[in-house]
Amino acid sequence: GTRSAVLNTEARTVEADVLSRRCVMMRLVDFSYEQYQKALRQSAGAVVIILPRSISSVPQDVVRQFMEIEPEMLAMETIVPVYFAVEDEELLSIYEQTRAASASQGSASAAEVLLHTATANGFQMVTSGAQSKAINDWLIPSVEGRLTGLGGEDLPTVVIVAHYDSFGVAPWLSHGADSNGSGISVLLELARLFSRLYTYRRTHAGYNLLFFASGGGKFNYQGTKRWLEDNLDHTDSSLLQDNVAFVLCLDTLGRGNSLHLHVSKPPKEGTLQHAFLRELEMVVASQFPEVKFSMVHKKINLAEDMLAWEHERFAIRRLPAFTISHLESHRDSLRNSIMDRRARIDTKALTRNTQIIAEALTRVIYNLTEKGAPADMQIFTDQMEIQQEQLESVMDWLSSQPRAAQLIDKDSTFLNTLEYYMGRYLKDVKQHHVKADKRDPEFVFYDQLKQVMNAYRVKPAIFDLLLAVCIAAYLGVAYVAVQHFGLLYKMIQRLSLKTKQQ
């Protein structure tokens, strides 16, 4: 989007014939890409898209249409600033009055247009912010914690990863419920479950578990990239260097009746990652037959600027990794949309997906299949069952706030809460920070992501012109009347004088 977001111009809706240097107002329910393009072609001063208070009240076809348009809006370079505002009574009143004034311009009668233009209320839209500036020292924080396995020093490590940040056309409206609030919810629930198993020696597995809530996921997984560099290139000892069994990335797990394991390279038989794939298939087939499960193989395209999934960051460094998601394609518009709200999350599906992942992961690290455990045996039941209420509360917390990377720094309340939550179940919990390289920055953030826009009720210039004409006409009539009254008075005086003389 544009960085020249200071605005002082007259409001119009798309029904007006002339939009040049006007602030064009659109409601989401009436929004179309053609209207948006019309405003840009006519060099509008700004575009304001009015969102309803509740996205769930918007028809699904409208939501889908906007989600398909959103990537185009993000990718398009424009000098026209685009604002989003949540509707209220005053804003809707401004919109309706502006729409009535704009629609009247197409009337057949020129006199009607002139009269309506002169009497209608107009609005001058003015922003009070300053020009946006680049923030050169912004940090992208991530949080890591671990559970240490039992039985030796050189234990294999299973890494569980989910990025916490959200993304959309407007950072302050990006709540990212499914992408990737659902992934973080599953990661935290897995941390809770395995912390209980690792508390007792009888159920303490011979695997290290490393949990990583990464930042900058929507910016080509910058938090993961730098975390890997620091752990593999800039240190002598880390869990990532010793013996990584596999990396499991969690992404968009909050709805649907399908699960897909995305891989860059199909796992070979005899490896632990192949065992995890087989366990996932078995758990789904025997315990959750309503779920459609498949493996999706996509090679890493290094020619593309953006990676498709988070596991590709690990695969580039030759670590066995995959991503599990209910989405079949990384191009799904749900992953980068302000329409990704809490109402779209199916809590039962999220709970079920958490159980599938937990069951399969447990069967792998405890080698239960080889020990003869039946396929339909559920491990997480009774006191160890998945807590749906806890998943719901975590989802409510995550989706109640925007989590765009531009809004979260190392001192944010969200990050401190996340760190505290992970610290309840994991050891050695700490933050990891990423800062853009000043010589060749991978990302640049700007300030002024939220602005106050004032709407001043004004009369159009034609009103002043007509008022001046009316005043001039009135003064003219008064002048003529005074002149005629003077002549009449003189005539009456002459007639009365003649009458007296006679």
Side-chain angles (χ1 to χ4, degrees):
T2 179
R3 297 191 296 271
S4 303
V6 176
L7 177 67
N8 188 346
T9 187
E10 190 179 357
R12 286 285 184 271
T13 61
V14 288
E15 287 82 5
D17 295 328
V18 179
L19 303 178
S20 177
R21 291 183 291 180
R22 302 292 193 275
C23 179
V24 182
M25 304 179 72
M26 306 177 181
R27 289 186 69 190
L28 178 64
V29 292
D30 305 319
F31 181 84
S32 73
Y33 194 57
E34 292 73 21
Q35 293 176 335
Y36 178 70
Q37 287 281 52
K38 175 186 174 183
L40 299 186
R41 284 195 305 270
Q42 292 196 22
S43 300
V47 174
V48 176
I49 299 174
I50 303 172
L51 303 175
R53 286 180 180 271
S54 174
I55 297 296
S56 59
S57 65
V58 181
Q60 287 302 305
D61 57 334
V62 175
V63 172
R64 282 194 299 270
Q65 181 191 36
F66 183 81
M67 288 172 63
E68 292 170 0
I69 294 169
E70 211 170 343
E72 298 290 334
M73 297 175 69
L74 281 163
M76 182 186 302
E77 281 196 30
T78 172
I79 61 171
V80 178
V82 180
Y83 298 88
F84 290 83
V86 179
E87 68 182 17
D88 56 23
E89 291 183 6
E90 289 79 8
L91 184 55
L92 286 178
S93 175
I94 292 170
Y95 172 79
E96 293 298 339
Q97 292 181 63
T98 304
R99 186 179 185 183
S102 301
S104 70
Q105 296 180 3
S107 303
S109 170
E112 289 178 358
V113 172
L114 184 64
L115 179 62
H116 194 283
T117 302
T119 57
N121 287 318
F123 292 92
Q124 193 78 6
M125 314 302 286
V126 181
T127 55
S128 57
Q131 293 285 5
S132 296
K133 295 180 181 178
I135 305 174
N136 297 318
D137 57 349
W138 191 264
L139 295 175
I140 292 180
S142 303
V143 185
E144 67 172 284
R146 66 187 67 189
L147 292 171
T148 304
L150 180 70
E153 296 182 358
D154 188 22
L155 293 176
T157 299
V158 174
V159 186
I160 302 171
V161 181
H163 66 272
Y164 64 76
D165 55 311
S166 57
F167 191 73
V169 71
W172 275 98
L173 299 174
S174 302
H175 291 241
D178 201 1
S179 180
N180 192 30
S182 64
I184 288 291
S185 297
V186 175
L187 180 141
L188 295 176
E189 183 66 3
L190 292 176
R192 185 188 70 83
L193 293 172
F194 283 96
S195 70
R196 295 190 66 182
L197 290 174
Y198 275 49
T199 299
Y200 306 103
R201 187 178 183 86
R202 183 169 55 89
T203 57
H204 202 150
Y207 285 85
N208 297 317
L209 296 182
L210 181 56
F211 293 83
F212 185 56
S214 62
K218 302 300 186 181
F219 289 88
N220 215 14
Y221 309 106
Q222 290 299 322
T224 300
K225 177 186 177 185
R226 196 69 61 83
W227 185 61
L228 283 169
E229 291 173 356
D230 289 350
N231 278 279
L232 298 179
D233 301 336
H234 304 147
T235 186
D236 295 330
S237 178
S238 75
L239 289 182
L240 290 179
Q241 280 185 331
D242 299 337
N243 182 9
V244 174
F246 61 81
V247 180
L248 175 61
C249 299
L250 309 169
D251 196 330
T252 49
L253 293 162
R255 59 200 304 251
N257 284 319
S258 63
L259 278 177
H260 305 280
L261 193 70
H262 296 269
V263 300
S264 303
K265 189 177 181 180
K268 295 181 180 179
E269 286 196 35
T271 62
L272 200 68
Q273 56 266 34
H274 185 267
F276 180 69
L277 171 61
R278 295 280 81 87
E279 295 290 359
L280 274 174
E281 292 176 334
M282 187 172 66
V283 168
V284 169
S286 61
Q287 300 180 28
F288 304 94
E290 75 278 6
V291 177
K292 174 188 173 185
F293 177 80
S294 68
M295 184 184 75
V296 180
H297 175 214
K298 177 194 169 297
K299 292 183 178 180
I300 301 174
N301 186 356
L302 295 176
E304 291 186 357
D305 294 332
M306 301 293 288
L307 297 178
W309 298 99
E310 192 159 14
H311 74 266
E312 295 184 355
R313 278 287 173 213
F314 295 90
I316 289 173
R317 302 304 299 263
R318 301 188 181 281
L319 295 175
F322 26 66
T323 297
I324 188 165
S325 170
H326 72 76
L327 299 178
E328 191 170 3
S329 170
H330 67 281
R331 300 186 185 279
D332 195 295
S333 57
L334 176 69
R335 299 182 73 202
N336 300 300
S337 177
I338 61 174
M339 296 290 115
D340 184 10
R341 298 296 184 95
R342 177 67 175 88
R344 298 181 66 84
I345 296 295
D346 181 351
T347 309
K348 290 184 178 180
L350 179 64
T351 305
R352 179 202 64 207
N353 292 340
T354 305
Q355 175 131 14
I356 291 172
I357 295 167
E359 297 276 348
L361 189 58
T362 304
R363 294 182 74 91
V364 167
I365 65 177
Y366 289 95
N367 201 20
L368 295 182
T369 299
E370 295 296 323
K371 293 177 180 178
D376 59 352
M377 182 188 78
Q378 286 199 358
I379 301 160
F380 294 98
T381 58
D382 300 328
Q383 294 182 350
M384 283 293 293
E385 68 179 357
I386 312 296
Q387 293 186 357
Q388 181 171 322
E389 295 80 6
Q390 180 138 328
L391 281 170
E392 285 181 341
S393 64
V394 171
M395 276 304 313
D396 290 342
W397 166 62
L398 289 167
S399 57
S400 66
Q401 56 198 311
R403 301 189 314 281
Q406 304 98 309
L407 306 177
I408 296 175
D409 60 17
K410 60 185 179 67
D411 297 319
S412 71
T413 303
F414 164 77
L415 197 74
N416 291 332
T417 306
L418 178 63
E419 185 177 8
Y420 168 77
Y421 198 102
M422 292 178 67
R424 292 174 60 186
Y425 307 116
L426 307 176
K427 305 296 183 184
D428 301 326
V429 174
K430 59 184 178 181
Q431 291 189 24
H432 183 273
H433 299 132
V434 172
K435 193 173 182 179
D437 189 340
K438 292 185 178 180
R439 295 167 298 178
D440 184 21
E442 303 95 336
F443 58 91
V444 179
F445 294 150
Y446 288 79
D447 60 6
Q448 300 295 327
L449 297 175
K450 181 187 282 188
Q451 299 237 16
V452 175
M453 182 181 293
N454 299 294
Y456 295 98
R457 190 188 302 273
V458 295
K459 287 291 184 182
I462 190 69
F463 174 81
D464 295 334
L465 179 61
L466 289 177
L467 183 61
V469 170
C470 291
I471 292 173
Y474 170 77
L475 292 176
V477 170
Y479 175 78
V480 171
V482 168
Q483 291 293 328
H484 281 75
F485 179 78
L487 291 173
L488 182 61
Y489 181 73
K490 289 180 180 179
M491 289 177 63
I492 292 172
Q493 278 187 327
R494 288 175 183 173
L495 286 173
S496 61
L497 182 62
K498 286 181 179 180
T499 302
K500 287 181 181 180
Q501 288 177 352
Q502 290 177 358

